[in-house]
Amino acid sequence: MSSALNWAREGRIWPHRDTSAFVPVGGATWHIQRMGSAGKPRLLLLHGTGASVHSWRGVMPLLARDFDVLAPDLPRHAFTTGHPPTDMSLPQMASAIAHLLAETEFVPDVIVGHSAGAALALQLALDHGFTGPVIGLNAALRPFPGPAAQVFPALAKLLFVNPLVPRIFSAAAGFGSEAERFIYRSTHSRIDAEGLACYSILLRNAGHTKGALAMMANWDLPTLRTRMHEIVNPVLLLHSDKDAAIPLDWAKEAHAWLPTSRLESLPELGHLAHEEAPDHAAKLVTEFAAQHLLSEA
C-alpha cells in the first residue's frame, strides 16, 4: 500500500478512535488524541520512530485519571500529514511540536517520551522553555558508537531518497505474520493483538515507513549529547533489561550525562515495555510526575 493512510479505512481499528481530532497547523495536519479533564495537570505523550498514538492505547486511559493527556502522531507518521522532509530533524520536529502545542493552547506540565520521543522531550526543554518533569521510556538518547554515528544516518538518507525502498520494506514487513516477528526481533516485546494489528498497518504503508526513514536520516543525537549537561528538568529514565533495540548499558551512559536524572530498570520487559505492562508504566509515570509537581507547587 503506497498511498497515505486513510482515517476512514485504516483508522477504523485505531484504539480510542473517539478521542481523535485533526488539527491544521501551517501546511500540515496533525492527528492527535486527547483524554482526561481540563484543570488537571497537562501531560504530553510523544511516541517513538515508526510508531503512532496507538502505542499509548493501554497507558493513556490510566494516565487520564490524573492528567489532561495529549498524544500526537509525529510528523510524517501514521495519520499526521503535510510536513516536508526538512521538518524531520530533531530541532525541527521539536519546533513543529511547539507550534502544535501553541495552536491547541496545550501547555504541558509533564512530557513522557518513548524511545526517540524522549529525545524530542529534551529538545523541547532545551529550545522551547519546557521546565517540567521528563519521563523517558526506553529512551533513545545515546548516539551510535564511533563511525556508526555517521554511517547509520547516511544509510537512512540513501534509503529515503530511493522511492522503491519504503515500498519493498513495507511489502516484506506486512507479509503474513512477519509484522509480529519483526516487532519481537527488533524489540523483544510481546504485545497484544490490537497493537500488532496497528503496527501491521503502519509497516505495510510506504508513506509511513518513508516518514520513519526520514526521521532516522535527520536524527542528530551527537549534537543533543553535547547539550545534555544543560538539562535542569527532573528526568526519570525507565529502561527495560531485555530491550533489543537500546541496551540497558546505553541508558546507563545517557543517565550519566543528564545531571538531574534517575534511572530505573524494568525487569523482563522489552523496548515496548509501556505496551507490555501499561499499568506498571502508568504507575511509575504518575508517581514521578506527582512528586515533582507537588514540590514545584
Side-chain angles (χ1 to χ4, degrees):
M1 175 187 315
S2 58
S3 61
L5 289 167
N6 184 291
W7 184 244
R9 185 178 60 236
E10 289 85 14
R12 285 181 300 177
I13 71 162
W14 240 245
H16 312 302
R17 179 184 168 88
D18 59 320
T19 69
S20 287
F22 289 85
V23 181
V25 182
T29 301
W30 291 80
H31 171 232
I32 67 170
Q33 291 189 337
R34 191 164 179 179
M35 293 185 194
S37 303
K40 294 180 179 179
R42 292 182 166 187
L43 187 148
L44 175 66
L45 295 172
L46 300 174
H47 67 74
T49 309
S52 84
V53 295
H54 86 278
S55 67
W56 305 113
R57 63 194 175 281
V59 170
M60 199 170 176
L62 301 173
L63 293 174
R65 298 171 184 171
D66 299 294
F67 301 94
D68 180 2
V69 187
L70 177 81
D73 284 341
L74 293 182
R76 298 175 70 91
H77 280 64
F79 300 97
T80 289
T81 59
H83 291 92
T86 52
D87 276 3
M88 300 305 287
S89 70
L90 182 49
Q92 285 297 107
M93 287 185 76
S95 181
I97 293 167
H99 287 133
L100 170 67
L101 296 176
E103 181 67 28
T104 55
E105 299 182 344
F106 189 93
V107 181
D109 299 294
V110 184
I111 302 180
V112 179
H114 171 246
S115 195
L120 282 169
L122 296 182
Q123 198 74 45
L124 284 164
L126 290 167
D127 294 347
H128 299 279
F130 174 69
T131 59
V134 172
I135 296 100
L137 301 170
N138 293 282
L141 301 178
R142 184 196 187 282
F144 284 106
Q150 284 74 45
V151 170
F152 281 95
L155 178 60
K157 283 185 173 70
L158 288 172
L159 296 176
F160 172 74
V161 298
N162 184 337
L164 291 177
V165 169
R167 289 177 172 82
I168 293 169
F169 175 81
S170 298
F175 182 77
S177 60
E178 183 58 28
E180 182 175 1
R181 289 194 293 270
F182 175 83
I183 291 293
Y184 182 73
R185 282 199 307 268
S186 57
T187 68
H188 278 185
S189 287
R190 299 283 189 190
I191 63 173
D192 59 20
E194 185 178 38
L196 285 171
C198 293
Y199 278 116
S200 181
I201 284 175
L202 295 176
L203 290 169
R204 288 203 308 268
N205 185 268
H208 174 83
T209 55
K210 191 168 187 179
L213 282 171
M215 187 172 172
M216 293 167 62
N218 291 282
W219 215 238
D220 186 6
L221 287 178
T223 298
L224 177 64
R225 159 73 183 93
T226 65
R227 298 188 63 195
M228 284 188 187
H229 68 279
E230 301 174 33
I231 296 291
V232 295
N233 308 63
V235 177
L236 174 63
L237 299 177
L238 300 172
H239 210 94
S240 307
D241 63 357
K242 303 299 183 186
D243 191 338
I246 303 168
L248 180 58
D249 284 347
W250 289 22
K252 292 177 180 177
E253 287 190 49
H255 164 55
W257 302 331
L258 290 161
T260 57
S261 69
R262 189 173 96 210
L263 174 64
E264 290 189 23
S265 175
L266 302 175
E268 301 302 318
L269 294 171
H271 188 62
L272 305 178
H274 63 297
E275 299 190 51
E276 294 180 275
D279 289 0
H280 188 47
K283 178 177 180 290
L284 294 174
V285 166
T286 300
E287 288 176 351
F288 184 77
Q291 173 191 346
H292 289 281
L293 293 178
L294 183 61
S295 65
E296 288 174 10

